[in-house]
Amino acid sequence: MTARRFRSARRIPAALVALLVLGVAGLFLYDLAAVRADRPAMAWRRELAHRLEVHTPADLGVQLAGGVLVLAGVVLLLLAFTPGIRRILMMRSPDQDADQDTDRDADQDTGRDAGPDGDRDAAGAARPPLRAGIGRKDAAQVLRDRAMEVPGVRSVRVRMGRSRVRVRATSHFRELDEVRADLDAVIAVGIEELGLVHPPRPRLRVRRRAD
């Protein structure tokens, strides 16, 4: 079972849209109340009514404006359906690790009675799935600390992405091939220890420190 990504609450965009709708509705309501009270309508509404009388949907300008609005609506819908919070990387939950261990040992436990295990699985299925995540900057800092432990590494820069992690290291002694091999092993172990649902592929670059 794959952990679902965290979804952004989007409170600020929702609040801005609500305030915009409230302002426009209040403006129309005020103008309608003014007309009911035998006062002249606002100039912008008279101009809008005049333009609606003159221009028809067959006009090129109206069609272009409508196409732009439709395109903007589609983009907003796509953004609304995306989870957001791309700075958070999903981590494997303990339930996923337990499922992997169970699958790995399934052949050895085929002859065992599953009475207590069945009750334990049923209790686990009733619990809501535990979700955990780690920020990209935090994950990059963890890998950087691990990389600094490699002998010969003087400085490291780590950029963490969703599918790839870029590591740029500077070495001041030892052969570059040896440093790169040790760094490759350390980064691979560090990515595994992060316990990410989708581990990124490392991309290493080691260079000699320019004096």
Side-chain angles (χ1 to χ4, degrees):
M1 179 180 178
T2 303
R4 293 181 300 171
R5 284 178 54 185
F6 294 102
R7 299 192 67 90
S8 175
R10 294 185 173 92
R11 295 184 179 90
I12 295 179
L16 293 178
V17 172
L19 290 176
L20 179 62
V21 172
L22 181 62
V24 173
L27 190 62
F28 273 102
L29 182 62
Y30 173 81
D31 191 52
L32 290 176
V35 172
R36 291 287 185 178
D38 296 332
R39 295 181 179 179
M42 292 184 178
W44 64 268
R45 197 163 74 90
R46 294 197 302 268
E47 180 66 19
L48 178 62
H50 175 69
R51 288 183 177 276
L52 291 177
E53 291 178 356
V54 174
H55 298 284
T56 64
D59 294 342
L60 180 60
V62 176
Q63 294 179 356
L64 291 178
V68 171
L69 292 177
V70 169
L71 182 59
V74 172
V75 172
L76 292 177
L77 284 176
L78 291 177
L79 293 177
F81 282 109
T82 55
I85 316 184
R86 296 184 59 84
R87 64 182 181 275
I88 301 296
L89 301 175
M90 293 300 302
M91 302 175 66
R92 294 192 302 267
S93 64
D95 296 334
Q96 290 179 281
D97 294 335
D99 293 340
Q100 292 178 359
D101 294 338
T102 302
D103 295 339
R104 191 181 302 112
D105 299 336
D107 294 337
Q108 300 177 2
D109 298 337
T110 51
R112 185 181 301 171
D113 186 8
D117 294 337
D119 297 338
R120 193 179 303 113
D121 294 340
R127 295 196 307 267
L130 179 64
R131 295 189 299 165
I134 183 173
R136 290 190 188 183
K137 293 183 178 180
D138 298 329
Q141 184 63 39
V142 170
L143 296 181
R144 181 186 179 278
D145 293 342
R146 294 296 301 270
M148 289 298 297
E149 299 175 358
V150 176
V153 174
R154 181 179 181 86
S155 63
V156 181
R157 293 179 60 185
V158 180
R159 294 184 60 183
M160 196 75 178
R162 301 197 63 86
S163 60
R164 182 172 298 178
V165 53
R166 293 177 173 84
V167 180
R168 295 184 178 183
T170 301
S171 176
H172 60 295
F173 71 91
R174 297 182 66 196
E175 294 294 334
L176 293 182
D177 293 338
E178 296 178 0
V179 175
R180 186 180 292 105
D182 294 345
L183 193 61
D184 192 6
V186 167
I187 293 298
V189 173
I191 293 176
E192 179 63 26
E193 290 179 349
L194 288 176
L196 301 178
V197 175
H198 302 290
R201 298 187 303 273
R203 183 176 181 180
L204 306 179
R205 181 180 178 183
V206 182
R207 62 183 179 90
R208 184 71 65 188
R209 178 176 177 267
D211 296 329

